[in-house]
């Protein structure tokens, strides 16, 4: 213990970050389950063609809907992990404080894209209300829901990363190796 | 014209400023709204993105990634090294040849160059150093041989390319197999001459029994590419189905037959594969939306028109595109570059008379050269990290390899038969101009 009193802002930001971490872990588990779902559906499709005497039209639809959820939920997970493809040439040239400003701004830009996904994703879901997929087994809104869900999660994680960068600007960096844009 | 300028400004500016590429591409597509002024445009873009991430063809991506992850975590790849050693270990610079051959085998399991360097490099580089090879050379040849992965089936890059640009994936796999093997032979010839120059060690040939034992032990990992290739080219499975069967095979081998993975490890493997898949799927989905905007804004035609004012010669135009791809390949991975440049340059190639599979192979191979090129080539830097050597160490040996890569790219550009013969033979499509 250093005896230093942690600033209220840092305590709040850390609390928010922990909550975002819980969301992140839940997102990962959901993605893993969706992957098992896709694998099961595809294997079932092969089995249906070669073993069962009748086709199952919903198998393919469920698999692609799950793929949508992996992609859209995973976008926020990848952001938090720093796993998205990006060019770091500028960031690598910046000083310690400039890196924080950079992280703050870049993540706000990403949150802006998340807002597009959320707002028009909701509209997209609303437009599909009452419709069923071509196989008539699923409401299309169920698949389309991945768009606003992904957008919402992306906004949360991007804003948390921005907030952490802001906190680091105000209170000094907590761990420079964990800061990324 | 102003819209195209703003779109490219948002895209390039965003990427250079460090915005994740999926977001930079996504935001650049929103510029189309400025052109139409209708809010419905934004709804359509959202719908396009949804159609992209829920494309059936893209399902092969998470499946191939999961299959590779299971095989790598199941530690079955060491057996590939033994098979390669049994066949080519006695040649001059035997371990360099083993490195190349095992990359061919590994490509059939993973489909990712970076995974190849990480998985194979951590095993073979120390073995090469122990055998007296310079560390820089061991890392350099690991980087070079790993560039085969995106060329050979089941390349993730090719799955994405085929799904986004409407080229039959089986045709791309067939074209990639012939080009990849051609490149591998060229690598092995260069490795032979470099072994002579650096007086690298020579080992006795494996006995028949040793070879037989290695092959028997390697049947499990080698079975996976066999299932994929026979399944797809034999018309038994679609590419997506073959990918799911490959996962099942990998699980049976690692969980039941060899028991190199426990049930407890399956959760983290699934999550890791899902995260990797998500990064590829979102950028591919956004890439499809980007392609749509590029097409309706007639950007390829505008750029071709601009290039035509510089020169009417198709050779000069293609050369200019190749230079752009070489430079871009140094900074960004192949998948991202294909999604960024593909919508613009692929129609130009088609306009100049190149077939879809030939165009694909040209783009994939040329981008691979950039991966090996300093100062920021992705394969180069990963090989430095895995091989624990400095950039100057690896570059000392890398230059002949980069020159060979450029020479091979030129041969592939001017020899359409290299890319088109196998797809045409199997009647897989993608070869008509």
């Amino acid at each position: 213990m250093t005896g230093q009193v942690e600033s209220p802002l840092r305590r709040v930001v850390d609390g928010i970050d922990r909550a975002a971490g819980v969301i992140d872990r839940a997102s990962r588990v959901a993605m893993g389950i969706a992957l098992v779902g896709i694998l099961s559906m595809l294997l079932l499709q092969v089995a249906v063609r070669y073993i069962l005497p009748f086709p199952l039209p919903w198998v393919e639809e469920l698999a692609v809907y799950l793929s949508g959820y992996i992609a859209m939920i995973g976008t926020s997970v990848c952001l938090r992990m720093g796993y998205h493809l990006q060019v770091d040439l500028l960031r690598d040239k910046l000083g310690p404080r400039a890196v924080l400003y950079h992280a703050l701004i870049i993540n706000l830009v990403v949150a802006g894209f998340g807002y597009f996904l959320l707002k028009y994703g909701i509209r997209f879901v609303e437009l599909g209300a009452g419709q069923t997929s071509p196989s008539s087994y699923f409401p299309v809104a169920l698949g389309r829901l991945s768009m606003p869900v992904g957008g919402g999660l992306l906004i949360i994680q991007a804003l948390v990363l921005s907030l952490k960068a802001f906190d680091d600007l105000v209170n000094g960096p907590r761990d420079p190796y964990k800061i990324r844009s | 014209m102003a819209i195209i300028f703003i779109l490219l400004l948002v895209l390039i500016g965003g990427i250079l400023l460090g915005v994740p590429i999926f977001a930079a591409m996504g935001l650049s597509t929103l510029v189309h709204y400025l052109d139409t002024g209708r809010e419905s445009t934004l709804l359509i873009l959202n719908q396009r993105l949804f159609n992209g991430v829920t494309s059936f063809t893209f399902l092969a991506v998470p499946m191939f990634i999961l299959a590779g992850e299971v095989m790598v975590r199941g530690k079955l790849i060491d057996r590939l090294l033994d098979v390669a050693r049994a066949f080519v270990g006695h040649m001059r610079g035997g371990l360099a040849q083993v490195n190349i051959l095992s990359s061919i085998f590994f490509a059939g399991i993973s489909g990712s160059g970076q995974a190849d360097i990480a998985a194979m490099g951590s095993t073979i580089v120390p073995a090469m150093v122990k055998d007296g090879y310079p560390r820089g050379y061991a890392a350099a040849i690991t980087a070079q041989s790993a560039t085969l992965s995106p060329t050979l089936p089941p390349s993730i890059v090719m799955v994405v390319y085929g799904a986004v640009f409407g080229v039959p994936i089986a045709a791309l796999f067939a074209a990639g197999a012939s080009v990849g093997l051609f490149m591998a032979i060229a690598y092995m010839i260069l490795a032979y001459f470099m072994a002579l120059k650096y007086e690298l060690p020579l080992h006795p040939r494996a006995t028949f029994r040793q070879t037989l034992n290695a092959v028997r032990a390697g049947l499990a990992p080698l079975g996976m590419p066999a299932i994929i290739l026979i399944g797809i080219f034999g018309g038994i499975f679609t590419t997506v189905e073959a990918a799911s069967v490959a996962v099942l095979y990998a699980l049976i081998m690692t969980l039941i037959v060899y028991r190199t993975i426990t049930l407890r490890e399956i959760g983290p493997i699934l999550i890791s594969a899902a995260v990797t898949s998500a990064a590829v799927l979102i950028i591919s989905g956004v890439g499809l939306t980007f392609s749509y905007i590029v097409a309706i804004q007639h950007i390829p035609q505008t750029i071709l028109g601009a290039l035509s004012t510089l020169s009417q010669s198709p050779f000069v135009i293609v050369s200019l595109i190749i230079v752009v791809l070489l430079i871009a390949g140094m900074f960004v991975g192949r998948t991202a570059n294909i999604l960024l440049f593909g919508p613009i340059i692929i129609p130009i190639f088609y306009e100049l008379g190149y077939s879809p599979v030939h165009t694909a192979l040209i783009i994939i191979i040329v981008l691979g050269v950039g991966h090996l090129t300093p100062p920021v080539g992705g394969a180069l830097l990963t090989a430095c990290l895995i091989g624990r050597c400095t950039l100057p160490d690896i570059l000392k040996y890398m230059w002949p390899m980069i020159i060979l890569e450029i020479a091979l790219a030129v041969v592939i550009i001017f020899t359409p038969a290299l890319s088109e013969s196998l797809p045409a033979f199997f009647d897989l499509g993608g070869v008509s101009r």
Side-chain angles (χ1 to χ4, degrees):
Chain A
M1 293 290 287
T2 59
Q4 279 185 324
V5 180
E6 208 173 48
S7 82
L9 173 65
R10 174 144 296 178
R11 279 206 300 275
V12 171
V13 170
D14 283 348
I16 293 172
D17 186 41
R18 275 195 296 276
V22 172
I23 294 171
D24 180 67
R25 281 193 291 280
S27 301
R28 288 163 187 254
V29 172
M31 290 165 67
I33 293 169
L35 193 58
V36 173
I38 294 176
L39 175 63
S40 311
M41 290 305 109
L42 293 176
L43 291 175
L44 185 60
Q45 191 177 42
V46 176
V48 162
R49 206 175 58 243
Y50 285 105
I51 300 167
L52 299 179
F54 51 86
L56 297 173
W58 51 270
V59 166
E60 193 174 310
E61 282 172 2
L62 185 55
V64 295
Y65 281 173
L66 290 172
S67 158
Y69 277 97
I70 288 183
M72 298 313 299
I73 294 176
T75 303
S76 64
V77 174
C78 292
L79 184 76
R80 192 174 166 92
M81 284 174 74
Y83 199 67
H84 282 299
L85 288 169
Q86 62 193 52
V87 175
D88 288 330
L89 288 176
L90 174 68
R91 199 190 62 178
D92 293 346
K93 298 251 181 290
L94 299 174
R97 277 189 77 77
V99 164
L100 293 172
Y101 280 114
H102 181 259
L104 178 69
I105 294 165
I106 293 293
N107 283 301
L108 286 177
V109 171
V110 174
F113 185 63
Y115 176 72
F116 157 72
L117 295 175
L118 177 66
K119 182 179 176 184
Y120 291 95
I122 290 171
R123 293 272 300 277
F124 188 43
V125 172
E126 285 169 351
L127 279 175
Q131 295 176 28
T132 55
S133 60
S135 73
S136 304
Y137 279 89
F138 302 106
V140 292
L142 200 68
R144 292 180 180 185
L145 198 60
S146 60
M147 299 298 286
V149 168
L153 290 171
L154 188 63
I155 292 173
I156 291 171
Q157 298 298 355
L159 288 182
V160 170
L161 290 174
S162 283
L163 205 57
K164 283 172 77 175
F166 176 73
D167 175 42
D168 287 343
L169 277 167
V170 174
N171 293 313
R174 62 198 81 194
D175 180 353
Y177 296 104
K178 285 185 179 170
I179 297 164
R180 61 169 319 285
S181 47
Chain B
M1 193 69 182
I3 292 294
I4 295 177
F5 178 74
I6 298 170
L7 186 147
L8 293 177
L9 189 72
V10 171
L11 177 71
I12 298 167
I15 289 173
L16 290 179
L17 286 173
V19 176
I21 293 172
F22 84 93
M25 280 174 90
L27 289 167
S28 72
T29 62
L30 303 187
V31 171
H32 184 53
Y33 170 67
L34 298 177
D35 195 23
T36 64
R38 289 192 299 269
E39 207 185 5
S40 59
T41 301
L42 298 173
L43 196 59
I44 290 169
L45 292 176
N46 202 292
Q47 184 183 352
R48 287 265 164 190
L49 177 54
F50 175 75
N51 291 345
V53 294
T54 56
S55 155
F56 182 72
T57 322
F58 279 149
L59 288 179
V61 171
M63 290 299 103
F64 280 134
I65 288 173
L66 179 58
E69 187 90 23
V70 172
M71 287 303 252
V72 171
R73 297 265 195 118
K75 301 180 185 70
L76 291 187
I77 57 158
D78 291 354
R79 296 158 189 261
L80 296 177
L81 283 174
D82 293 336
V83 178
R85 201 190 297 256
F87 282 106
V88 295
H90 61 279
M91 293 166 71
R92 174 69 70 178
L95 281 181
Q97 309 289 2
V98 169
N99 196 324
I100 296 166
L101 189 59
S102 51
S103 280
I104 297 174
F105 295 152
F106 186 80
I109 290 169
S110 153
S112 155
Q114 300 292 84
D116 183 324
I117 299 173
M120 303 297 273
S122 54
T123 306
I124 199 163
V125 171
M128 289 177 79
V129 172
K130 196 175 163 192
D131 205 31
Y133 287 72
R135 187 172 281 278
Y137 176 70
I141 197 152
T142 302
Q144 187 196 29
S145 62
T147 61
L148 290 171
S149 282
T151 319
L152 294 164
S155 153
I156 305 291
V157 171
M158 285 186 172
V159 173
V160 170
Y161 188 106
V164 173
F165 302 112
V167 184
I169 294 171
L172 289 176
F173 280 1
S178 53
V179 169
L181 291 178
F182 165 72
M183 291 175 70
I185 291 166
Y187 292 176
M188 292 177 100
I189 293 169
L190 177 67
Y192 175 81
F193 284 108
M194 288 185 80
L196 285 179
K197 181 180 176 190
Y198 295 109
E199 296 175 350
L200 297 176
L202 200 58
H203 293 287
R205 184 187 288 270
T207 62
F208 179 71
R209 179 167 291 280
Q210 285 169 328
T211 307
L212 200 66
N213 286 341
V215 170
R216 195 179 295 148
L219 279 178
L222 288 174
M224 199 164 101
I227 285 175
I228 294 168
L229 293 178
I230 294 169
I232 295 173
F233 298 142
I236 304 166
F237 309 124
T238 63
T239 307
V240 175
E241 288 171 351
S244 65
V245 173
V247 176
L248 182 67
Y249 176 83
L251 286 172
I252 291 171
M253 285 297 148
T254 52
L255 267 176
I256 299 169
V257 178
Y258 293 103
R259 298 186 182 180
T260 46
I261 283 180
T262 61
L263 271 177
R264 194 182 288 270
E265 291 172 87
I266 291 295
I269 288 174
L270 283 167
I271 290 172
S272 169
V275 170
T276 309
S277 304
V280 178
L281 287 172
I282 187 65
I283 200 169
S284 305
V286 175
L288 268 174
T289 316
F290 182 69
S291 299
Y292 165 73
I293 298 299
V294 165
I296 58 175
Q297 290 288 346
H298 305 293
I299 294 177
Q301 291 83 347
T302 309
I303 290 180
L304 184 58
L307 289 175
S308 301
T309 58
L310 295 174
S311 169
Q312 292 289 327
S313 159
F315 174 75
V316 174
I317 293 173
V318 168
S319 302
L320 285 170
I321 294 173
I322 299 295
V323 169
V324 170
L325 290 178
L326 280 172
I327 295 168
M330 292 180 205
F331 297 95
V332 188
R334 278 194 236 216
T335 307
N337 266 323
I338 285 168
L339 295 167
L340 281 170
F341 289 100
I344 299 169
I345 62 170
I346 290 170
I348 297 177
F349 273 103
Y350 290 174
E351 195 79 23
L352 297 174
Y354 289 80
S355 70
V357 288
H358 190 201
T359 303
L361 266 293
I362 291 172
I363 293 172
I364 291 169
I365 300 298
V366 170
L367 287 172
V369 180
H371 258 302
L372 293 175
T373 313
V376 285
L380 187 74
L381 297 183
T382 311
C384 278
L385 288 172
I386 298 292
R388 293 178 190 167
C389 60
T390 62
L391 204 54
D393 280 345
I394 195 170
L395 280 179
K396 182 179 168 192
Y397 304 96
M398 184 59 91
W399 285 117
M401 299 176 191
I402 293 172
I403 292 165
L404 175 67
E405 288 280 327
I406 293 170
L408 289 173
V410 171
V411 172
I412 289 159
I413 291 167
F414 287 104
T415 319
L418 262 176
S419 313
E420 295 171 354
S421 297
L422 264 187
F425 179 77
F426 285 109
D427 198 17
L428 299 169
V431 292
S432 57
R433 291 178 171 81

